[in-house]
Amino acid sequence: MQKAIVVHYFNEKKNNLAELNQLLQDGWKVVSQNPMSCSESGGTVYSLAILEKN
């Protein structure tokens, strides 16, 4: 089974890294990752992660 998650990071308080970390602890593995934006202007960084779990 696969799952897609858009990881976002603005700063230490505004991000969803805890959600990604929980999925990894639950046995999901990252099979691909692609950046969706850059932070040159100091904004939020987005990345599409595809996770897989058997």
Side-chain angles (χ1 to χ4, degrees), residues 25-48:
Q25 287 179 0
D26 291 343
W28 291 87
K29 296 183 185 216
V30 177
V31 292
S32 71
Q33 175 276 328
N34 293 297
M36 296 173 61
S37 66
C38 61
S39 63
E40 291 178 16
S41 62
T44 303
V45 176
Y46 296 93
S47 179
L48 174 64

Side-chain angles (χ1 to χ4, degrees), residues 10-26:
F10 180 72
N11 60 33
E12 279 189 38
K13 294 183 180 181
K14 290 186 175 185
N15 65 65
N16 68 337
L17 296 179
E19 179 183 356
L20 175 62
N21 286 332
Q22 184 61 54
L23 289 167
L24 296 173
Q25 287 179 0
D26 291 343

Side-chain angles (χ1 to χ4, degrees), residues 2-13:
Q2 289 192 333
K3 175 185 288 217
I5 179 173
V6 176
V7 180
H8 58 86
Y9 185 91
F10 180 72
N11 60 33
E12 279 189 38
K13 294 183 180 181

